[in-house]
Amino acid sequence: MPTQSLLLSNRNSLYTEAVNLYEKSERKAQRWQINLLKPLMARTKKGLWIHSKFGYSVPRRNGKNEVVAIREMWGADNGERILHTAHRTTTSHAAWERLCALLDKAGIAYESLKASGREKITLGTGTVEFRTRSRRTR
């Protein structure tokens, strides 16, 4: 449990759509991941995101990147343009590989561009671009 949180209403959350899409990849979202997605994907009645900024802290190797992948899958599938950044090219590339693998396993058609530090995934009108924040390649 977080030691501190400030979450607004999540009554109109699209998290179930995102989790259902993710679980087509034969992976199962964990309860704590779903609990993060509820407020993360909450919208107002007018369709605006309730949380324009959202952060969370989870210890290493506990599935926090899966929350990002779930959100990116849903966003790309729903026409959003997403920019995924990382400090290192290897980290950015690993996120691109993870998302490609999830889409493959889910049977979702996409186009992909593999370019060191500038990968891209396109689903219809939605895109996820992967960039690094430094010039270093490692």
Side-chain angles (χ1 to χ4, degrees):
M1 291 299 282
T3 56
Q4 200 176 63
S5 66
L6 173 60
L7 301 173
L8 304 174
S9 172
N10 61 18
R11 261 180 275 164
N12 297 321
S13 181
L14 300 171
Y15 79 96
T16 54
E17 288 180 22
V19 170
N20 290 339
L21 184 64
Y22 172 74
E23 291 183 348
K24 286 182 180 180
S25 70
E26 300 176 11
R27 299 196 70 156
K28 179 104 173 98
Q30 297 176 30
R31 171 68 25 213
W32 71 267
Q33 292 168 326
I34 293 170
N35 287 340
L36 276 176
L37 287 164
K38 284 179 185 180
L40 175 63
M41 300 197 66
R43 288 190 172 190
T44 65
K45 290 179 182 175
K46 293 183 179 183
L48 302 173
W49 295 112
I50 288 179
H51 294 100
S52 59
K53 294 179 182 179
F54 193 90
Y56 57 95
S57 177
V58 179
R60 293 179 59 119
R61 297 187 200 113
N62 280 318
K64 62 182 167 278
N65 291 325
E66 289 299 298
V67 174
V68 174
I70 293 167
R71 179 62 181 84
E72 288 174 344
M73 274 181 85
W74 182 89
D77 194 51
N78 284 276
E80 291 183 348
R81 293 186 62 202
I82 298 169
L83 179 62
H84 182 123
T85 63
H87 283 292
R88 297 176 179 226
T89 302
T90 53
T91 307
S92 177
H93 184 77
W96 171 78
E97 285 181 330
R98 178 186 309 106
L99 191 55
C100 286
L102 289 170
L103 293 168
D104 288 340
K105 198 78 167 157
I108 298 171
Y110 64 95
E111 292 181 15
S112 176
L113 171 65
K114 180 180 179 181
S116 184
R118 298 188 58 83
E119 288 85 356
K120 181 177 179 178
I121 294 173
T122 304
L123 278 75
T125 59
T127 61
V128 182
E129 294 186 47
F130 298 83
R131 298 287 183 271
T132 57
R133 295 188 294 255
S134 67
R135 295 176 192 214
R136 295 180 62 190
T137 58
R138 290 186 192 189

